[in-house]
Amino acid sequence: MKNLPMLYRVIFIALLLLLQIFALVMIIWRFSSYFIYFYTVCTSLSIVALLYILNSKSDPAYKIAWVIPILIFPIFGGLFYLLFGRNKLSKRKKREMKAVNEKMNQSLIPNQAILQELEAQNHRAANLSRYIDKYSYCPVYQNTITEYLPLGELMYERLLEELRKAEKFIFLEYFIIDEGVMWDSILEILVEKVQQGVDVRVLYDDVGSLFKLPYGYEKKLEEKGIKCSVFNRLIPVLSIHMNNRDHRKIAVIDGKTAFTGGINLADEYINAYDRFGHWKDSAILIQGEAVWNFTVMFLSLWNYETETDEDYTRFKLPVHEAEAYPSDGFVQPFGDSPLDEEPMGENVYLTLIVQAERYIYINTPYLILNNVMLSALCSAAKRSVDVRIVTPYRGDRWFVHSMTRSNYEFLVESGVKIYEYSPGFIHAKSILIDDVHAVVGTINMDYRSLYLHFECGVYLYNTQSVLAVKEDYLATLTKCQQITLEDCRAVRWYRRLARTILRIFAPLM
């Protein structure tokens, strides 16, 4: 019964959107039937849209996904692309985002001595670190402890433990929050901490929590003294920016401790609720200097969404406290924004894949790849790198799972080993390279994560947690079924055809 108000809201929004689409189509159709000039204008718009698409820097698969419907429907296609196909900010939003980026850049100052030490150990790792710093404003750190958490249940226990220690502030930024065992116990601590004078803030994505939280839930939290904001609130107006969701999962406590990974604040992530069989997820806990990157990431998006401006340095861990943490390799938390036209997550993954010498181990719930990523993985396997990818046996959405499986045959033919997690659904997002590099975060290997969502991750070089990621990966493989070339070719022809069609339009989903 608790989902009824949410369902009504979804139905209401869907009906309004469908009504707008219908009205737009009918207007275009009506005018095209009676006015040759209007038809000519619409066709000209389609030609302009095609030329723009073909000359843009967009991914080739994204271009094809738009070119096909424009060619089939020249009257509607070009207009729809001009309305919804370009992920461009308004001038006002550009100014706001520029101010946010400038403030991030001023707040996150790289330590050149650390970069020089990383350079001395591994030139390629240092180059990747410089790239991350340059385009996400997030520098690399030492004086940081890392702890890999291979299950949602373990992350949940550690999160509760650290929340209870909070003395100054708690920042939570999540794609999904759902009332239940996990969130209710966290909320109980948050209310207690507010009463103790702790600054508690919650930022959640409106679409991610659409079926989870009642409309206006932020007011309920504010009544409890918790500062709350809803990211990119869903409104019944056709807009490409409704695609830009906050997919990050960040918890920051007192500037000392931070969590990220695949785990949202909902019961299925800790297996308190059986949704798709056993839910395998992972997270990374960091303590020390590197937490500052996450603090600034949260405050930047908070200020952007709430249209506020505050002094970030109030939340920075004092130098003497930060330096007290022992160094565990090199740690670099980073964010990825869909609004800066720099595919940070994709480029980090590609760089690591291209540099791999011995093995590449990947966990991803979705394997919906563009040609560049597909070629990089196949090329690595062909040069005798041991490439292994774990995906779910049970998908959370049938069409997404079908698109994931549509990539298997080409990869397996090239020597990539594909495994499906037999107990259920794997939601972990990680990549591990040669015992020394790893990324743990929120970034899926699909178009939405790589191009449309706000994401985050932690690049780890030569930390103890890198080996913990490997240990967990090898243990996970024992619960997986390897996909063979015979399995791929045994798929019925009509399923193969459906998957091919879905792959064409994957960039638009």
Side-chain angles (χ1 to χ4, degrees), residues 230-437:
V230 182
F231 182 82
N232 198 5
R233 192 181 296 278
L234 181 61
I235 55 176
V237 175
L238 293 172
S239 170
I240 187 65
H241 297 298
M242 288 296 105
N243 264 329
N244 299 141
R245 310 315 313 176
D246 182 8
H247 194 245
R248 296 175 181 174
K249 293 94 179 166
I250 297 174
V252 181
I253 298 103
D254 290 347
K256 299 178 180 180
T257 302
F259 294 80
T260 195
I263 302 160
N264 283 295
L265 305 183
D267 286 354
E268 59 263 40
Y269 294 85
I270 58 172
N271 289 292
Y273 165 56
D274 186 348
R275 193 177 176 195
F276 305 110
H278 184 264
W279 192 290
K280 172 71 174 77
D281 221 318
S282 65
I284 189 80
L285 179 156
I286 65 173
Q287 294 179 308
E289 283 189 337
V291 174
W292 179 231
N293 283 11
F294 277 126
T295 305
V296 174
M297 268 189 264
F298 174 89
L299 289 170
S300 296
L301 212 54
W302 176 273
N303 284 357
Y304 177 75
E305 185 61 36
T306 61
E307 298 183 348
T308 56
D309 186 17
E310 57 187 314
D311 183 7
Y312 294 174
T313 58
R314 294 194 300 114
F315 304 96
K316 188 173 185 179
L317 191 65
V319 174
H320 69 278
E321 290 188 45
E323 291 180 346
Y325 289 90
S327 292
D328 175 22
F330 298 83
V331 183
Q332 191 165 16
F334 64 91
D336 190 5
S337 167
L339 306 180
D340 60 8
E341 299 183 349
E342 182 65 32
M344 173 65 61
E346 180 184 44
N347 286 341
V348 169
Y349 281 178
L350 282 172
T351 300
L352 291 173
I353 290 167
V354 170
Q355 292 179 0
E357 297 178 353
R358 294 189 293 118
Y359 71 80
I360 302 166
Y361 294 164
I362 296 171
N363 283 318
T364 181
Y366 316 118
L367 190 65
I368 305 171
L369 308 173
N370 62 17
N371 188 63
V372 175
M373 188 72 75
L374 201 62
S375 297
L377 289 167
C378 292
S379 177
K382 289 175 180 178
R383 67 174 191 269
S384 300
V385 175
D386 181 11
V387 184
R388 306 187 186 200
I389 304 174
V390 175
T391 66
Y393 171 71
R394 293 178 61 183
D396 58 343
R397 287 166 290 178
W398 69 267
F399 58 92
V400 175
H401 199 45
S402 292
M403 284 189 284
T404 290
R405 286 176 163 174
S406 71
N407 285 293
Y408 287 177
E409 185 172 351
F410 187 76
L411 289 165
V412 173
E413 280 181 333
S414 299
V416 176
K417 301 180 182 71
I418 304 290
Y419 301 83
E420 289 190 341
Y421 183 65
S422 300
F425 186 66
I426 187 163
H427 192 254
K429 306 100 166 33
S430 63
I431 182 168
L432 174 69
I433 311 291
D434 296 344
D435 282 0
V436 290
H437 307 272

Side-chain angles (χ1 to χ4, degrees), residues 127-158:
N127 279 346
L128 177 56
S129 179
R130 289 190 187 96
Y131 165 74
I132 294 171
D133 182 19
K134 182 177 180 180
Y135 290 98
S136 76
Y137 312 109
C138 295
V140 64
Y141 296 88
Q142 291 183 306
N143 299 118
T144 302
I145 300 170
T146 61
E147 180 181 349
Y148 176 70
L149 303 168
L151 285 172
E153 295 89 320
L154 296 176
M155 178 270 185
Y156 174 49
E157 291 175 6
R158 292 292 281 116

Side-chain angles (χ1 to χ4, degrees), residues 208-224:
S209 301
L210 185 61
F211 289 98
K212 311 295 184 180
L213 298 176
Y215 180 70
Y217 186 74
E218 73 278 11
K219 296 177 182 177
K220 180 178 178 181
L221 294 184
E222 288 169 355
E223 289 172 357
K224 299 177 183 294

Side-chain angles (χ1 to χ4, degrees), residues 27-42:
I27 290 170
I28 297 172
W29 183 260
R30 178 84 175 176
F31 275 83
S32 66
S33 300
Y34 292 100
F35 299 98
I36 187 65
Y37 301 108
F38 188 80
Y39 182 88
T40 302
V41 168
C42 288

